Amino acid sequence: MALTILILFALVALLGLLLLCSAILFLVSKLFKIENPSFKKSLVIVLISGIASIVFGVLFGIFSLDFLSYIATFFVFYYLLHRYYQTSWLKSLGVYLIFGVIATVVSFALVIPTRLYIYEPFVVSGAAMEPTYNSGDYLFINKLDKNFARGDIVVFRYPGNETQFLIKRIIGLPSENVEIKAGKVFINGQVLDESSYYNGDTQGDTSVILSSSQYFMLGDNRAESADSRMYGTVPKENILGSIFFEVPGLLKNF
């Protein structure tokens, strides 16, 4: 249910931002005294320029030439503005700069509350969650749903240093007895079936009874993972949310 709400929210927010930016471009066009500007044409310009900006950002970002993406996007913007309104390149540049500043300010005003309370991106760094997630994978955190279950992969603030964020799998739930012995994980005295994501032994003998607000975390790559075997349990208030969407390897080369 929460995932459906998040997807719908994202689609509505994206559509709303598109319409808002189109309205901004329409007003900026009138400010620069462009003849007969229309909202429909502004919508087309914003949509195509936005897609071009994303494509150029990815392409030039691979070669660490991000500034070229802005130049390339401007030429797309200029082509469209000139096609619809026969504007000069100088006037197009003015519209592009003013529109860009206003649209950026408005976008930040909308994005910041969304990232604080709804969902937030996260980039995997390291091998602790392989093969489930690899370094460079681009993930989205569901911050709306706080009903965590065993097996959920979550992002949380590292206990003792809350400026550092980690990604692990929830193994032990509040009020449970978690034990690690003979290479196996036991929950309330019963061996935990982890065959769907891990088949090796779990080293590091541990025995802990979780409080009503504590969770026990393990990485899927146990040999490379610093987790609750080292730093102990994680309080619920430290957990940002669970992973609900993944773009594999998006930032692998960065």
Side-chain angles (χ1 to χ4, degrees), residues 40 62 89 129:
K40 182 179 180 180
I62 294 174
W89 74 268
M129 286 302 297

Side-chain angles (χ1 to χ4, degrees), residues 128-156:
M129 286 302 297
E130 291 179 353
T132 307
Y133 295 128
N134 301 290
S135 190
D137 287 351
Y138 195 80
L139 313 177
F140 285 91
I141 307 167
N142 174 3
K143 303 179 76 172
L144 191 64
D145 187 2
K146 297 296 184 179
N147 296 314
F148 304 117
R150 192 185 334 279
D152 285 351
I153 298 176
V154 297
V155 174
F156 57 92

Side-chain angles (χ1 to χ4, degrees), residues 216-251:
F216 193 90
M217 311 287 188
L218 290 176
D220 286 359
N221 185 4
R222 302 284 160 85
E224 299 292 333
S225 176
D227 43 45
S228 287
R229 293 171 294 175
M230 291 77 174
Y231 49 72
T233 60
V234 177
K236 186 173 184 177
E237 59 265 25
N238 280 40
I239 303 177
L240 273 67
S242 56
I243 303 302
F244 78 95
F245 188 75
E246 171 195 9
V247 183
L250 180 63
L251 300 176

